[in-house]
Amino acid sequence: MADGAAHGAGQRPPADRPGTGLDRRHFLGAATGLAALATGLAGCDSPGGAPGSHRPVDPLAAERTRPGNPDWRLAATGPPDAIEGYADRVSVAPGEEFGLHVSTAAPGFRVRAYRVGWYGGAQARLVWRSDRLAGRRGPAPRLVADTRTVEAGWPRTTTVRTAGWPPGAYLLRLDSDHGHQRYVPLVVRSTGAAGRTVLMHAVTTWQAYNAWGGHSLYEGRDGAYATRSLAVSFDRPYDATGAEKFLVYERALVVLAERLGLPLAYTTSVDVHGDAGALRGATAVLSLGHDEYWTPQQRAHVTRARDAGTNLAFLGANACFRRVRLDAGPGGPSRTVTCYKTAYRDDPGFAVHRDAPTHDFRAPPAADPESSLTGVFYEGYPTDAPYVVHGADHWLFEGTGARTGDAFPHLVGVEYDRVTPAAPTPAALQIVAHSPLVCGGRASHADSAYYTVPGGAGVFATGTMRWVEALMAGTRDNGRNHGLDRRTGAFVTRTTENLLRAFAAGPAAHHRPAPEPNTARVYGR
């Protein structure tokens, strides 16, 4: 990216998815993709070190005692080009710099950096703000013809130093002179994971769905799958509010984890991809509400952590479904998410360089279904159904008051997973929720499942994409609502608290009851 204003300009301390992807937006059915299973595939398996045996001093403990700033929300977005921007890094370590690229119709604007957390209910704290910066419109975006990749190509507006910024998930709010606002998301990543619960923000999935400039991995400007991007760039703003995927599928979990006071670490899918040691010694890794696009390296590193005793939680559905490659872009390495999907044979990385195909993990060639890691198998879209408790005596549901057979309306959707006996499934797996549904006119079920591995790690998958949204049910921040009520919100909140506290205590198999395998009984095979 082009450099612009001088370093640190104006800094001072503070006082349902777009488009119609024709390759997957329909009922897949238990049989879809199972042809790949005939090859007898198993999940990634690699060695790793054991989690740390002592709990380090939590550097975020003091941060949580600070007062928050409830004015972090957007008041008025205005037209799409009123103000928008992007950072030239998806994450930085504390103290590092990043470039901010902003286009606005206003003569000037300011930037405020809010760290998301609990903060006594304020849910964010103002960590930094800029002086007024001169506004200008960026040039028209560039479209890379071969891959239909949109790149904004705007010059750098300012460089921001993050000295004094604690690790965490940040919303940079752009405030124009005309009163219009947009977000730019940024993660200040932790320098280590040992003894901590890691929040793994799904930035590759954010970018896959980003339709800024008229193209995403799902559709082109004309709305057609055939004109979709084959690769998408981080060198452009996010559409809508600028942080929609984070706000809907991730923020509420960040707030809850911070409220519980757990030792936390923050990272992104890009960072886990690039650093084999990013998860070393973590007590748990959390995959948040919509975490679909993974590189093979990310999957291998998460699997290695699991096998070394790190608990895993998949708090959405459709996780680890698409295999992607990270390529360089104008802004530097790993700035492009490449996923050819059904056109994978046209990908030079596959055809010429023999890279792994960038399509569904479960599909041949190189089929490796996600269920060997998550325990559940993505099945379909769209659905809306009650979540039905199958094993109310499971430790996950302690204190919820739920009984077997209790139903929570609308909690299953809009995508869902199920335990699929024909897919690679861990043997020591217990289905704890089994929810009847109809998708595309066909009857099926969504499943929440829990399993353990010999290294002691526990793995939980909710089987529904609305889990994190449900943490907001009955509040002013109720996600996209879907009819979720306070009762559902209370159930999901208590269950998630049980999960996070247990997983933060170390390998779950060492201190929680073992799962009672019941797949054959539930599915009669």
Side-chain angles (χ1 to χ4, degrees), residues 147-159:
T147 56
R148 297 182 292 274
T149 302
V150 177
E151 297 167 349
W154 297 341
R156 178 179 292 189
T157 304
T158 189
T159 299

Side-chain angles (χ1 to χ4, degrees), residues 229-252:
S229 293
L230 303 174
V232 287
S233 175
F234 285 107
D235 294 317
R236 59 176 180 155
Y238 290 103
D239 56 10
T241 63
E244 200 71 8
K245 288 289 182 282
F246 170 78
L247 291 168
V248 173
Y249 294 113
E250 303 191 3
R251 186 185 64 83

Side-chain angles (χ1 to χ4, degrees), residues 108-181:
F109 68 98
R110 289 176 171 80
V111 187
R112 289 172 170 82
Y114 292 92
R115 182 185 181 274
V116 176
W118 174 240
Y119 300 110
Q123 302 188 23
R125 180 175 77 86
L126 180 62
V127 172
W128 172 87
R129 63 186 175 193
S130 73
D131 290 323
R132 183 178 180 275
L133 300 167
R136 60 183 172 185
R137 287 189 182 273
R142 171 180 177 238
L143 184 67
V144 181
D146 290 349
T147 56
R148 297 182 292 274
T149 302
V150 177
E151 297 167 349
W154 297 341
R156 178 179 292 189
T157 304
T158 189
T159 299
V160 181
R161 295 189 182 101
T162 63
W165 295 27
Y170 284 76
L171 292 170
L172 308 177
R173 197 181 72 198
L174 310 177
D175 295 339
S176 82
D177 289 353
H178 293 162
H180 299 134
Q181 300 169 323

Side-chain angles (χ1 to χ4, degrees), residues 9 39 44 67 76 165 229 278 294 389 523:
T39 56
C44 306
W165 295 27
S229 293
W294 291 42
V389 175
Y523 280 102

Side-chain angles (χ1 to χ4, degrees), residues 78-362:
D81 62 349
I83 188 164
E84 49 193 353
Y86 59 95
D88 62 8
R89 310 274 294 277
V90 299
S91 74
V92 293
E96 288 185 341
E97 298 177 343
F98 65 91
L100 190 60
H101 303 248
V102 177
S103 174
T104 179
F109 68 98
R110 289 176 171 80
V111 187
R112 289 172 170 82
Y114 292 92
R115 182 185 181 274
V116 176
W118 174 240
Y119 300 110
Q123 302 188 23
R125 180 175 77 86
L126 180 62
V127 172
W128 172 87
R129 63 186 175 193
S130 73
D131 290 323
R132 183 178 180 275
L133 300 167
R136 60 183 172 185
R137 287 189 182 273
R142 171 180 177 238
L143 184 67
V144 181
D146 290 349
T147 56
R148 297 182 292 274
T149 302
V150 177
E151 297 167 349
W154 297 341
R156 178 179 292 189
T157 304
T158 189
T159 299
V160 181
R161 295 189 182 101
T162 63
W165 295 27
Y170 284 76
L171 292 170
L172 308 177
R173 197 181 72 198
L174 310 177
D175 295 339
S176 82
D177 289 353
H178 293 162
H180 299 134
Q181 300 169 323
R182 285 290 193 290
Y183 290 128
V184 176
L186 180 78
V187 172
V188 176
R189 66 181 180 273
S190 302
T191 55
R196 307 188 190 288
T197 294
V198 178
L199 283 72
M200 184 172 63
H201 295 281
V203 295
T204 43
T205 300
W206 300 356
Q207 197 54 252
Y209 285 87
N210 180 17
W212 188 91
H215 291 264
S216 71
L217 288 181
Y218 289 86
E219 61 185 22
R221 188 176 294 277
D222 61 357
Y225 176 73
T227 59
R228 74 195 184 281
S229 293
L230 303 174
V232 287
S233 175
F234 285 107
D235 294 317
R236 59 176 180 155
Y238 290 103
D239 56 10
T241 63
E244 200 71 8
K245 288 289 182 282
F246 170 78
L247 291 168
V248 173
Y249 294 113
E250 303 191 3
R251 186 185 64 83
L253 193 283
V254 173
V255 171
L256 174 60
E258 290 269 347
R259 177 173 64 78
L260 294 178
L262 304 174
L264 300 177
Y266 288 84
T267 192
T268 73
S269 50
V270 169
D271 295 305
V272 174
H273 157 87
D275 181 1
L279 305 177
R280 186 175 295 120
T283 56
V285 176
L286 308 182
S287 165
L288 304 177
H290 192 180
D291 192 7
E292 179 179 351
Y293 288 77
W294 291 42
T295 67
Q297 294 89 339
Q298 179 189 2
R299 180 167 174 174
H301 298 161
V302 171
T303 302
R304 179 183 302 161
R306 178 201 65 179
D307 294 346
T310 297
N311 303 304
L312 305 181
F314 296 92
L315 300 176
N318 191 220
C320 195
F321 183 72
R322 304 281 195 192
R323 183 192 287 118
V324 302
R325 184 176 66 248
L326 292 179
D327 292 321
S334 298
R335 295 292 290 175
T336 302
V337 180
T338 299
C339 191
Y340 276 63
K341 299 186 181 179
T342 50
Y344 71 89
R345 294 178 185 84
D346 298 331
D347 179 2
F350 173 76
V352 178
H353 303 294
R354 303 302 178 190
D355 293 335
T358 54
H359 65 357
D360 303 352
F361 271 106
R362 65 178 61 173

